[in-house]
C-alpha cells in the first residue's frame, strides 16, 4: 500500500501538480481500495473502511465486504481484458453478471440510497442483457 501511495505521488509530481491528499486518493486503483478490507490492512487502519458503508446490514463484516469487493474487482478485470462474462458451457448465461450488478447496487445503497436512484437512471445493462438473450 505504501508503494501505491508513493506511485500516486510520483505520478502527480510528474504531471507538475501539487501533491494533495485528494489527488493521491484519486490516483488509487480499485485494487488498492479492495485491499483495505484484507485482514492485515483492515487492522492497521482500525476497521475504518467499514465506515464508508454506514447503512450496511449489521451482519456484513470485513470478510463479507472483502468478498463482495473482490468479486466486483475480478469481474471488472474480466471486462477490461475482454474476457467472456456471459457464457456457461455452450449457452449464454447472464446470471453471474446479474449477481455482480446486484452486489454493486447493494454496496451503493449501503453508502447512500440516493446513489442507487442516480445510477439506475443511467443503467441500461438489463436492456442490453435482454437484447443479448434474443440473439
Amino acid at each position: 500500500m505504501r508503494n501505491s501511495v508513493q506511485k500516486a505521488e510520483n505520478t502527480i509530481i510528474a504531471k507538475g501538480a501539487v501533491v494533495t491528499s485528494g489527488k493521491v486518493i484519486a490516483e488509487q486503483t480499485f485494487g488498492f481500495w479492495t485491499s483495505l478490507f484484507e485482514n492485515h490492512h483492515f487492522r492497521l487502519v482500525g476497521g475504518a473502511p467499514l465506515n464508508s458503508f454506514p447503512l450496511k446490514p449489521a451482519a456484513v463484516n470485513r470478510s463479507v465486504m472483502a468478498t463482495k469487493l473482490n468479486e466486483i474487482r475480478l469481474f471488472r478485470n474480466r471486462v477490461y481484458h475482454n474476457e467472456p462474462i456471459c457464457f456457461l458451457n455452450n449457452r449464454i448465461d447472464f446470471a453471474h453478471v446479474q449477481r455482480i450488478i446486484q452486489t454493486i447496487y447493494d454496496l451503493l445503497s449501503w453508502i447512500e440510497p440516493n446513489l442507487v436512484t442516480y445510477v439506475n437512471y443511467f443503467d441500461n445493462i438489463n436492456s442490453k442483457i435482454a437484447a443479448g438473450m434474443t440473439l
Side-chain angles (χ1 to χ4, degrees):
M1 293 191 83
R2 183 178 297 148
N3 290 340
S4 294
V5 171
Q6 185 61 57
K7 182 179 175 185
E9 289 175 351
N10 292 341
T11 300
I12 295 163
I13 291 167
K15 292 177 182 177
V18 175
V19 175
T20 65
S21 59
K23 288 179 182 175
V24 171
I25 288 169
E27 285 289 328
Q28 297 310 315
T29 65
F30 193 43
F32 174 88
W33 297 111
T34 58
S35 72
L36 287 175
F37 288 87
E38 292 172 6
N39 198 29
H40 173 74
H41 297 129
F42 191 79
R43 284 193 330 255
L44 283 174
V45 294
L50 279 180
N51 295 333
S52 299
F53 301 90
L55 303 175
K56 70 170 186 55
V60 174
N61 59 17
R62 180 214 58 84
S63 178
V64 171
M65 191 64 74
T67 298
K68 289 182 177 297
L69 289 169
N70 277 311
E71 287 171 351
I72 295 168
R73 184 182 58 79
L74 292 172
F75 181 80
R76 178 257 176 220
N77 289 348
R78 288 184 63 86
V79 170
Y80 185 78
H81 294 289
N82 297 306
E83 296 176 23
I85 59 169
C86 60
F87 297 104
L88 182 61
N89 300 322
N90 292 330
R91 64 183 175 84
I92 295 174
D93 183 347
F94 288 99
H96 180 65
V97 173
Q98 291 170 318
R99 282 191 302 275
I100 294 295
I101 292 167
Q102 186 56 55
T103 299
I104 292 168
Y105 274 100
D106 289 346
L107 295 179
L108 290 173
S109 72
W110 300 344
I111 296 169
E112 166 57 55
N114 289 327
L115 286 173
V116 172
T117 304
Y118 179 78
V119 172
N120 193 46
Y121 178 80
F122 297 100
D123 182 0
N124 67 352
I125 298 298
N126 286 326
S127 65
K128 297 295 183 186
I129 289 173
M133 294 301 289
T134 61
L135 295 177

